[in-house]
Amino acid sequence: MRTRFVCALAASATLISCSASTDPLPAVEARPPNILFVILDDVGIDQMSAFGYGGLEAPAMPTIDAIAGAGVRFRNTWSMPECSPGRAALLTGRYPLRNDVYQALGPKDLANSQIDPWEVTAPKLLARAGYESAMFGKFHLAGPEHNEAGNGTPAQLGWDHFHGWTGGLPGSIDTTAGGVAPPGTWSCGFVPGASVPGGADAGACWVPQPGGRASCVELAGANEAGDPPGLQCLTRGGVLVPDAPCGEAPPEGVVFDRENAHYVSPLVVNRGGAVEEAGLLDARSRGFRSTLEVDAAIAWIRERAASKRPWMATVSFSSPHTPLQRPPGHLLRSGIGSRLTADCTDPLNQRRLADALIEALDTELG
């Protein structure tokens, strides 16, 4: 009897969950295992209790703790210290001096600083074994700037399906909260509750709809998770007009076509050889990113149920990359939500926001 390992998930380039078995190795004709590969953005083992770290306020990560407890933890490993080089090394199996990705890609980086279309990537290699591959979330390996493939770089590099953000980084926080306040007013991107001067415990939540229209629902009071109406509305993809009733149309000044970090950003889809760019008014571009990323992955995996081909799904979370922003309260488990403030520029609050984003990610991963 030989022990075999089927590796199902990796996170932060340091954690892999594998199931060990002493059963006889399967016949060559048996279908290869499906692979779920998970990347957390800017999470180190110093934040993970599964590795014995985390401090007094370690983020609650029961899903990853369960994976670590049932799998293998690598305690003597090294990874590239930045976004793009780390991802490129993971998905090409080659160091930066080989794949030419030396730093986190930005809009000024030329094509020779991006993964070359002729590079052998994990999805290209798996395709030879009959696999389908998809990626959800942050790409940040090539394009869209200075690249002939533009937003089609995921398909060019071997992914059959991509649903996410090619440039990868969440945009800036909209401190006007959708145009309802002067710039710089709300550092977290939404109108806080009335306990904060200028905040509101009620208002009209306007959500853009197809055809240039907008729907409206009136919100009042915090929800069960403690989210004020401003955050509830942002989670729905909307803009809260504080202390106002719904009317026939959004008031003048309300802005939907403005990025807002982890909640509003243009989406890219590569599928069937086509490249689709969903703008800021598209419902798929609005909502909490970790939720959007996981929901898209679940939908794709379910579509594979009738397929005889094995698959690899890469869920590449945008969290907890800056800018740090408060996640929906129902995704938090440790009570950290009650310790967050309305100032997303405060250093102590930023550390807690990072932990909160990790907790929310872990909940969605579960």
Side-chain angles (χ1 to χ4, degrees), residues 161-251:
H161 181 81
F162 173 74
H163 185 110
W165 297 269
T166 48
L169 299 180
S172 299
I173 292 177
D174 176 16
T175 59
T176 74
V180 302
T185 302
W186 303 125
S187 62
C188 292
F190 61 88
V191 179
S195 60
V196 177
D201 284 338
C205 178
W206 289 94
V207 180
Q209 301 294 325
R213 298 175 292 106
S215 63
C216 183
V217 61
E218 294 179 9
L219 301 175
N223 61 15
E224 293 182 359
D227 297 345
L231 181 54
Q232 296 176 48
C233 183
L234 184 60
T235 303
R236 297 173 181 224
V239 171
L240 183 81
V241 180
D243 298 319
C246 289
E248 294 184 1

Side-chain angles (χ1 to χ4, degrees), residues 16-358:
I16 296 182
S17 175
C18 302
S19 58
S21 173
T22 55
D23 295 336
L25 287 171
V28 175
E29 295 78 20
R31 172 174 167 161
N34 297 323
I35 303 167
L36 175 63
F37 181 61
V38 176
I39 303 173
L40 317 185
D41 198 355
D42 285 353
V43 178
I45 61 171
D46 60 303
Q47 294 165 281
M48 302 177 75
S49 59
F51 285 92
Y53 298 97
L56 295 176
E57 290 190 0
M61 306 170 74
T63 304
I64 290 176
D65 289 346
I67 292 168
V72 177
R73 283 165 285 185
F74 294 93
R75 296 183 177 274
N76 186 23
T77 60
W78 297 89
S79 66
M80 302 303 108
E82 275 196 305
C83 307
S84 301
R87 294 164 192 275
L90 280 171
L91 293 164
T92 67
R94 304 213 297 163
Y95 290 117
L97 79 160
R98 303 294 186 192
N99 60 37
D100 288 336
V101 181
Y102 289 99
Q103 64 180 17
L105 295 178
K108 295 183 179 180
D109 285 297
L110 301 180
N112 60 353
S113 298
Q114 305 172 24
I115 291 187
D116 190 285
W118 300 106
E119 186 75 59
V120 177
T121 60
K124 288 182 181 179
L125 194 63
L126 287 170
R128 301 176 188 174
Y131 275 76
E132 295 180 90
S133 293
M135 180 185 283
F136 307 90
K138 180 177 175 180
F139 188 64
H140 214 196
L141 293 169
E145 295 88 6
H146 307 297
N147 191 305
E148 64 180 2
N151 279 317
T153 52
Q156 184 187 63
L157 294 179
W159 279 273
D160 302 300
H161 181 81
F162 173 74
H163 185 110
W165 297 269
T166 48
L169 299 180
S172 299
I173 292 177
D174 176 16
T175 59
T176 74
V180 302
T185 302
W186 303 125
S187 62
C188 292
F190 61 88
V191 179
S195 60
V196 177
D201 284 338
C205 178
W206 289 94
V207 180
Q209 301 294 325
R213 298 175 292 106
S215 63
C216 183
V217 61
E218 294 179 9
L219 301 175
N223 61 15
E224 293 182 359
D227 297 345
L231 181 54
Q232 296 176 48
C233 183
L234 184 60
T235 303
R236 297 173 181 224
V239 171
L240 183 81
V241 180
D243 298 319
C246 289
E248 294 184 1
E252 185 177 351
V254 169
V255 178
F256 296 120
D257 58 348
R258 184 176 294 165
E259 291 190 46
N260 195 350
H262 288 266
Y263 286 90
V264 183
S265 50
L267 184 80
V268 172
V269 177
N270 290 188
R271 187 167 195 170
V275 178
E276 182 181 1
E277 300 175 9
L280 296 179
L281 302 184
D282 193 304
R284 294 171 295 174
S285 299
R286 309 181 71 87
F288 185 56
R289 267 207 192 187
S290 291
T291 301
L292 298 178
E293 290 158 348
V294 165
D295 286 353
I298 290 172
W300 184 83
I301 289 171
R302 285 177 173 167
E303 290 175 1
R304 313 270 77 71
S307 173
K308 295 183 179 180
R309 296 180 62 188
W311 50 260
M312 176 177 179
T314 298
V315 182
S316 180
F317 283 104
S318 302
S319 289
H321 197 286
T322 56
L324 302 175
Q325 203 170 22
R326 181 171 173 168
H330 72 276
L331 297 177
L332 304 180
R333 292 167 166 168
S334 71
I336 195 172
S338 63
R339 301 194 297 275
L340 299 175
T341 72
D343 183 0
C344 282
T345 64
D346 174 69
L348 176 58
N349 195 45
Q350 284 197 332
R351 178 54 196 255
R352 288 173 174 164
L353 284 169
D355 288 348
L357 286 167
I358 293 172

